Amino acid sequence: MPREAVTGPSSTMLHRWLLSLVARVGVLALVLCCCLSALYLLSCKAPSVHSYPPALVWVGGATSKEGYLALLQEREDTHRHYINSLGKQIAQLKEALQARTQQLQESLDKAKAKGVLPLGLEGSHKPQTHIDLQDFFKAQLNRAEIQSGENLPSEYAVVPFDSFTLRRVYQLETGLTRHPEERPVRKDRRDELTGTLETALQILNGPRRHKQHQRSYSPSDFIEGLTRTERDKGTVYELMFKGEGPRDFRQLMFFRPFGPVVRVKNERVDTRHMLINIVVPLSQRTDTFRLFMDNFREVCINQDRKTHLTVVYFGREQIDEVKAIMDHTSRKTQFRNFTLIQLNEEFSRGRGLEVGARAWRRSHNVLFFFCDVDIHFTLDFLTSCRLNAEPGKKVFYPVLFSQYNPSLVYSNQSPLPSIQQQAVIKKDAGFWRDFGFGMTCQYRSDFINIGGFDRNTKGWGLEDVHLYRKYLHSKLMVIRSPSRGLFHLWHEKQCADELPPDKYKMCMQTKAMSEASHGHLGELFFTHEIQEHLQRQKLLNDSIHLR
């Protein structure tokens, strides 16, 4: 606030100058009053005979009528002279006082605009200060990336969102030793998020003019929230609540411009008619595709039923098995929203997604989920996909949780847990894959308008980064946030020899990071040293017992 901005020598000098200016104006007004009083006393007092010139003394003591008339005329002329002089002085003082007042007002306005209004002078400017605070909040809100995106230089300039629930905060942290979730949440962070959640519930449960029988909202209706802080602007919060029906939701947005929370949006979001077209490029890997279809059947068919699956298959080998898996699922579930496209060419992920996206010929603008065959997702993710993508406004780039090698993570368990049981977010189970941009939710109109994928990209890698950068350079908002319902299943990674050096290096780095946690890899790497240490300790203990 402006009062808090008064720091340093410059503000002190300005304070002293303004106070001295006020003092001078007060002294000038006092002098004016004294002059008026003196002139009034002089005009009312009868002048002495000795105070007039000798011409007024009658020669020989004459007291004729002419003498009295001459004396009266002289006194009248004297009074008129005093009145004219007094009028001129009053006019001059009024002009000086008006000039000083205007100068003081201009100085106060400049000081207020700079936020250095001295203490003791702010009382008469409270309405203007309140207006300035509102203008400040509006200016911060207009500068923040809330309603529209910004042109960013690269993917490293994006400030990612943290997602949170009632008990956990999922955040991106650099380094392999960071926890992928914060639980328990720090008290200051918990109070901040709880206060925002309480504000949202007060708004949702506030007076309703149109619906008298609308139900009340409680913390159990809260689904998920997104938040991020931009250091020079403020903190934004997006909160999602359950609505009236299973596909009805309420989405609220708040902005804290380093001050009180300001409501930005409170609108109803109906997802009943939001169809998601899941586009999957594929080449061989039929065993993995079978697991993918099991997940698709459970989540998309049995639970959601507002999805379409488009598979773009490269080559002819194993194509019959892929068709058999899809036909079996269709017959068993009576689900018909499948599209299989075969391309007799070398596998290219970007090419497959491009063909799958442009193959959609229906009239309405569909929501795409670009997905890989080794991805496991939940119903909560499909909800996030619908709520965080909006045509012409924003695209959703979730950060998925990449699993480590289950044979290392669950080495003491036989058999290994099921995929659903492995879909947990904890430090030793996996990491946030914040370097990948392949999984994304965006509308077909935005994908077409942005130009789609780079068609010259072949094989593995970089096609998703190029598309991601296009959105960063556009006016669309990019929602980048860790997703608690999106998992990358571990599989042994093969880096082909025909890859160029830069892509081969990226592939090997990904392979190394996907095996196990930093601590677990350390145990494997130093197994020999650990075994030797255990043997030495055993020998030492045995020698102690023999004594």
Side-chain angles (χ1 to χ4, degrees), residues 350-373:
R351 165 71 172 158
L353 295 174
E354 182 83 18
V355 171
R358 296 184 181 273
W360 184 262
R361 300 300 182 184
R362 301 186 187 180
S363 57
H364 67 279
N365 189 17
V366 72
L367 174 61
F368 286 136
F369 170 38
F370 294 148
C371 184
D372 288 341
V373 71

Side-chain angles (χ1 to χ4, degrees), residues 265-280:
K265 181 172 63 174
N266 178 14
E267 65 182 16
R268 177 175 175 268
V269 181
D270 187 0
T271 63
R272 288 175 295 179
H273 305 292
M274 292 184 182
L275 179 70
I276 298 180
N277 185 6
I278 303 176
V279 184
V280 179

Side-chain angles (χ1 to χ4, degrees), residues 259-369:
V261 173
V262 179
R263 181 176 61 186
V264 178
K265 181 172 63 174
N266 178 14
E267 65 182 16
R268 177 175 175 268
V269 181
D270 187 0
T271 63
R272 288 175 295 179
H273 305 292
M274 292 184 182
L275 179 70
I276 298 180
N277 185 6
I278 303 176
V279 184
V280 179
L282 182 63
S283 178
Q284 300 182 9
R285 302 186 66 181
T286 54
D287 292 337
T288 306
F289 181 69
R290 187 174 288 105
L291 295 176
F292 176 86
M293 288 303 298
D294 291 340
N295 178 229
F296 181 87
R297 181 176 61 252
E298 176 62 27
V299 176
C300 299
I301 300 178
N302 296 340
Q303 301 180 37
D304 190 82
R305 300 197 66 85
K306 288 296 293 183
T307 55
H308 185 97
L309 178 62
T310 300
V311 178
V312 182
Y313 192 84
F314 288 83
R316 298 179 179 178
E317 187 178 356
Q318 299 184 4
I319 183 64
D320 294 334
E321 297 181 35
V322 172
K323 290 181 180 179
I325 295 172
M326 298 178 69
D327 291 340
H328 175 73
T329 303
S330 180
R331 289 193 306 269
K332 191 173 181 179
T333 61
Q334 301 300 314
F335 189 80
R336 300 289 184 268
N337 291 345
F338 292 120
T339 299
L340 177 60
I341 303 173
Q342 182 182 4
L343 299 179
N344 293 322
E345 54 187 78
E346 181 184 357
F347 175 80
S348 172
R349 184 179 184 275
R351 165 71 172 158
L353 295 174
E354 182 83 18
V355 171
R358 296 184 181 273
W360 184 262
R361 300 300 182 184
R362 301 186 187 180
S363 57
H364 67 279
N365 189 17
V366 72
L367 174 61
F368 286 136
F369 170 38

Side-chain angles (χ1 to χ4, degrees), residues 140-150 161 228 230 236 238 253-255 262-267 390-394 475-479:
Q140 291 291 89
L141 182 61
N142 293 333
R143 292 177 60 239
E145 189 181 13
I146 295 180
Q147 302 292 2
S148 61
E150 293 182 353
F161 285 78
R228 73 173 178 181
E230 296 179 78
V236 62
E238 283 194 49
M253 181 182 293
F254 297 96
F255 180 65
V262 179
R263 181 176 61 186
V264 178
K265 181 172 63 174
N266 178 14
E267 65 182 16
E390 188 173 354
K393 291 188 177 181
K394 55 185 180 179
K475 293 184 178 181
L476 275 73
M477 185 186 304
V478 177
I479 304 297

